[in-house]
């Protein structure tokens, strides 16, 4: 039980902060313009092309929208951030120095590095979007339900706060 509480604290805090930030930016840029009574976002109905939205958007919002843009997308986005952080941490911990890197530079190593980076990104993306499978295989179902309820409430709270803040900012 202690593990799921830690997971809720870690993921929940990241979900709240990232959801607040992403929703706020999306509301301010007009990518999500209406928050209806059901608490669901609606994509702006004005005649704004996808190209215009992409040019007005930033990479964080684009990545979140690539994950679906809702609760599922936020959890996947947060899981991707955690995976990327762990990979960066492993790189720093296993760093052999500039001498080792410079001594082995050739065309094969550069191609291998590019292929490895692409493969690593694909694996990280796949792991991030399959987050429900991770939780179901790691924790009992009642603990998974508690995780989903807690993180969903944090997501909705952040979404509501972002809506209020963006409306206040638009009025000023």
């Amino acid at each position: 039980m202690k593990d799921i509480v830690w997971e809720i604290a870690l993921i929940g805090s990241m979900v709240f902060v990232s959801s607040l930030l992403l929703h706020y930016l999306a509301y301010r840029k007009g990518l999500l313009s209406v928050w209806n009574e059901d608490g669901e976002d609606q994509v702006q109905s004005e005649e704004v092309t996808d190209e215009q939205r992409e040019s007005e958007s930033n990479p964080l919002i684009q990545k979140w929208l690539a994950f679906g843009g809702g609760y599922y997308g936020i959890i996947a986005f947060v899981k991707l951030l955690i995976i990327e952080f762990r990979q960066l941490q492993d790189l720093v911990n296993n760093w052999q120095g500039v001498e080792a890197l410079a001594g082995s530079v050739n065309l094969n190593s550069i191609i291998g590095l590019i292929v490895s980076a692409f493969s690593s990104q694909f694996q990280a993306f796949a792991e991030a979007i399959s987050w429900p499978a991770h939780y179901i295989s790691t924790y009992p179902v009642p603990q998974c339900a508690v995780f989903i309820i807690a993180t969903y409430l944090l997501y909705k709270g952040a979404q509501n706060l972002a809506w209020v803040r963006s409306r206040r900012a638009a009025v000023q």
Side-chain angles (χ1 to χ4, degrees):
M1 185 67 172
K2 186 169 74 169
D3 292 338
I4 195 68
V5 171
W6 171 248
E7 192 77 12
I8 290 171
L10 176 66
I11 301 294
S13 62
M14 291 180 71
V15 162
F16 184 82
V17 170
S18 59
S19 181
L20 181 64
L21 174 69
L22 292 170
H23 276 98
Y24 181 79
L25 291 173
Y27 290 139
R28 293 286 292 160
K29 292 192 178 281
L31 298 173
L32 300 173
S33 63
V34 177
W35 196 51
N36 64 21
E37 295 79 32
D38 297 334
E40 295 298 321
D41 288 319
Q42 293 180 349
V43 176
Q44 184 162 354
S45 60
E46 295 176 11
E47 293 185 20
V48 177
T49 65
D50 289 337
E51 293 82 22
Q52 289 172 323
R53 279 198 185 117
E54 286 183 21
S55 68
E56 294 174 358
S57 186
N58 69 33
L60 287 177
I61 294 175
Q62 289 175 359
K63 182 61 84 175
W64 172 51
L65 292 174
F67 282 127
Y71 169 74
Y72 187 93
I74 281 284
I75 299 289
F77 179 76
V78 165
K79 292 296 280 182
L80 183 67
L81 290 176
I82 290 171
I83 292 166
E84 294 293 335
F85 177 75
R86 288 185 180 146
Q87 287 177 347
L88 180 63
Q89 188 178 25
D90 287 344
L91 177 69
V92 169
N93 290 338
N94 298 326
W95 181 254
Q96 297 174 356
V98 177
E99 299 84 25
L101 181 65
S104 64
V105 173
N106 60 34
L107 185 60
N108 286 337
S109 66
I110 293 172
I111 291 172
L113 179 66
I114 292 169
V115 169
S116 175
F118 179 75
S119 173
S120 176
Q121 285 300 304
F122 182 76
Q123 289 174 338
F125 180 80
E127 187 178 338
I129 63 172
S130 64
W131 64 266
H134 163 73
Y135 287 108
I136 291 294
S137 66
T138 307
Y139 302 104
V141 173
Q143 290 181 6
C144 291
V146 169
F147 172 82
I148 289 173
I149 291 168
T151 55
Y152 188 76
L153 290 174
L154 288 167
Y155 165 79
K156 285 308 222 181
Q159 180 186 31
N160 186 21
L161 185 59
W163 173 254
V164 170
R165 297 273 182 188
S166 68
R167 293 302 105 207
R168 245 186 237 148
V171 171
Q172 294 175 353

